Amino acid sequence: MCKNGRYDTVPLPKLRVGDGMKCDLNGQVAIVTGAAGAIGQAIAARLADNDATVVVADIDAEGARSVASRLRNAVAATADITDMSSFASTVEKTASRFGRIDILVNNAGINSTDHRVCIDEFAPEVWDEIVRVDLDGLFKATRAALPAMVMSGNGGKVVNIASVVGMAAMRLQSPFNAAKAGVIHLTRAMALELGPKGILANAVAPGSVISEPTRRLFYGEDGAMSDRVREFMAHIGMSRPARPSEIAEAVLFLCSPHSSYINGQVLAVDGGWSTGFRM
Amino acid sequence: MVDRVQNVTRLMEIDIEGWRVAAIGAETTICAAALEALRANGGIELNEEISPTEADILLVSWNLVPERSDGAEADALVAAAGKAAEAMSRRGKGAVIFLLTAAAAIPIRRHAEHSRLMSAAAAAMRCISMESAPHVRVNALGFGCIGESASDSGDISMLTHVPLARTGKLDEAVDAVLFMADPLNSYTTGQLLPVDGGWSAGYARSF
Ligand SMILES: NC(=O)c1ccc[n+]([C@@H]2O[C@H](COP(=O)([O-])OP(=O)(O)OC[C@H]3O[C@@H](n4cnc5c(N)ncnc54)[C@H](O)[C@@H]3O)[C@@H](O)[C@H]2O)c1
């Protein structure tokens, strides 16, 4: 299919700076989990660009500090989403320092890259770890943040970062499929329960996302994709991975007051990967 | 409790300076307001003598009030959207935005004809998105009850199943169109995004 050239794989388009959407988040306070990572820091940056105060929360203290130092209106917090009391203390510090919490972006997540095997051989301890962070941790972080968000009486936004594999399963990563599908359905449950309290919940399901370190996995020195990657990319309408900023653009919208009638939705930002069968 | 919606006094901004915008299909309040917002953000509206295939951003507008739903023009509308997407694809950029109701996601028992039209339109949107990738983005919005007593979209009886317990405002519908038109929202294609206060998120879907 890709060999006959019908679907050319396309290089990443040049980054256009300064012309993204502008939302008014002035006076709003956001916590972004996993914000030392590739997608999390892009989200934190877009929120800060739009005048939100951002708490860059990550289990990786050094990474969080380094991201926060590069943003205006940002502070770093060391927080483990799997430990509710650790996360509750981040929430408490945020609320006492800034007086409110308006936005929670549940972005922290893990997956196994070296253990990719069929479910009949899948290591239970790897299963446990992935579900513990990606699903249980997301619940605990949300559970810890909600009382302060509800109490502020300003309403609020929860945006969960799921994955396209939570919608269409991929082989050899069963716990990641299951945890992300859990996140998607949990998002809907949050929307039904929290909507009446003025807190909206939505999810973004990224497809394949490239970050600086993984760029070399996709593109060789000559800027071309390997055959293996090319074959995989042929299933994606846009025939390329996303840049983290493209995920962040959708997250920004769902965090902003401009999406105030969108609730319980899962937006796949996947270049058309899950749109249909490309033959 | 402060209603944060009431605090929103202006629409969000996107940068589409010089992009040519047009709409085809039903004349609705949401489509008209969205066109106005696209113009306000730098879009240049094509006059009616110019073919919509010249547009860089095309709104494909369906009747959003179920009683007014009329399938007679549906095939022609899909065909015109496909042609415009093809032309955008040749020029290497563009966005097509279908304006549908949330019945595209969940059918409504008493509006069977409307529900069929909406889900068929959503399937057509997905096919056009696959045909016109990689440079053209094709997406849909699925509006729930918009406007007081659902005057702009949907059926007011949906409201009993909306967690936000209110209808949506025209600005909230328009902002979602701007999001889909945003040139930096560049990896979203083939998606249906309901703008329905959570109506389609869960329980009790038939009435
Ligand atoms: N990269 C992709 O292709 C892709 C695709 C779909 C979904 N996602 C999802 O996007 C999110 C971000 O992914 P990424 O690609 O930026 O990954 P990443 O590894 O670059 O970032 C993840 C961050 O989460 C942090 N983290 C891990 N466990 C934590 C914990 N217990 N508490 C707090 N922080 C913790 C890590 O330290 C890291 O900084 C994840 O939820 C991931 O599943 C990524």
Side-chain angles (χ1 to χ4, degrees), chain A residues 130-250:
Chain A
I130 290 172
V131 173
R132 190 175 76 90
V133 177
D134 291 359
L135 182 58
D136 300 351
L138 184 140
F139 162 73
K140 286 179 180 160
T142 311
R143 175 69 183 78
L146 278 174
M149 293 175 76
V150 172
M151 211 164 65
S152 78
N154 296 308
K157 297 276 200 162
V158 177
V159 177
N160 297 324
I161 307 304
S163 165
V164 71
V165 307
M167 309 167 85
M170 259 190 113
R171 297 173 67 246
L172 312 184
Q173 30 184 329
S174 47
F176 194 63
N177 287 312
K180 292 298 189 180
V183 166
I184 285 173
H185 217 53
L186 177 60
T187 303
R188 299 187 179 116
M190 285 179 184
L192 299 180
E193 295 177 8
L194 300 173
K197 295 177 196 270
I199 294 173
L200 278 58
N202 291 287
V204 168
S208 187
V209 183
I210 204 166
S211 52
E212 278 312 317
T214 57
R215 187 181 295 272
R216 254 167 284 130
L217 287 177
F218 287 90
Y219 298 100
E221 290 296 319
D222 54 355
M225 286 177 178
S226 72
D227 281 351
R228 187 182 57 82
V229 173
R230 199 176 284 272
E231 199 179 307
F232 167 61
M233 287 296 148
H235 291 280
I236 303 175
M238 293 202 170
S239 308
R240 64 171 176 89
R243 202 187 284 107
S245 63
E246 294 176 297
I247 308 301
E249 192 77 354

Side-chain angles (χ1 to χ4, degrees), chain A residues 24-272:
Chain A
D24 187 3
L25 296 178
N26 197 1
Q28 301 211 14
V29 178
I31 300 179
V32 182
T33 71
I39 297 174
Q41 59 181 282
I43 294 169
R46 281 309 264 130
L47 296 176
D49 279 354
N50 284 273
D51 299 329
T53 299
V54 182
V55 177
V56 175
D58 205 291
I59 198 169
D60 168 6
E62 189 41 50
R65 263 196 299 276
S66 143
V67 169
S69 71
R70 277 179 268 129
L71 302 176
R72 63 192 177 101
N73 323 325
V75 295
T78 312
D80 178 358
I81 60 166
T82 68
D83 173 354
M84 214 173 119
S85 60
S86 145
F87 204 79
S89 98
T90 299
V91 169
E92 206 177 294
K93 281 183 204 143
T94 305
S96 64
R97 177 156 176 198
F98 302 110
R100 57 194 287 166
I101 300 170
D102 303 277
I103 296 163
L104 172 66
V105 182
N106 283 311
N107 163 78
I110 58 167
N111 193 7
S112 67
T113 45
D114 43 5
H115 189 65
R116 291 278 168 106
V117 296
C118 181
I119 190 161
D120 62 2
E121 303 168 30
F122 209 93
E125 56 282 8
V126 178
W127 169 283
D128 286 346
E129 185 56 13
I130 290 172
V131 173
R132 190 175 76 90
V133 177
D134 291 359
L135 182 58
D136 300 351
L138 184 140
F139 162 73
K140 286 179 180 160
T142 311
R143 175 69 183 78
L146 278 174
M149 293 175 76
V150 172
M151 211 164 65
S152 78
N154 296 308
K157 297 276 200 162
V158 177
V159 177
N160 297 324
I161 307 304
S163 165
V164 71
V165 307
M167 309 167 85
M170 259 190 113
R171 297 173 67 246
L172 312 184
Q173 30 184 329
S174 47
F176 194 63
N177 287 312
K180 292 298 189 180
V183 166
I184 285 173
H185 217 53
L186 177 60
T187 303
R188 299 187 179 116
M190 285 179 184
L192 299 180
E193 295 177 8
L194 300 173
K197 295 177 196 270
I199 294 173
L200 278 58
N202 291 287
V204 168
S208 187
V209 183
I210 204 166
S211 52
E212 278 312 317
T214 57
R215 187 181 295 272
R216 254 167 284 130
L217 287 177
F218 287 90
Y219 298 100
E221 290 296 319
D222 54 355
M225 286 177 178
S226 72
D227 281 351
R228 187 182 57 82
V229 173
R230 199 176 284 272
E231 199 179 307
F232 167 61
M233 287 296 148
H235 291 280
I236 303 175
M238 293 202 170
S239 308
R240 64 171 176 89
R243 202 187 284 107
S245 63
E246 294 176 297
I247 308 301
E249 192 77 354
V251 176
L252 168 63
F253 174 65
L254 292 173
C255 287
S256 80
H258 304 290
S259 55
S260 45
Y261 205 56
I262 299 177
N263 191 26
Q265 302 305 326
V266 182
L267 179 66
V269 181
D270 67 353

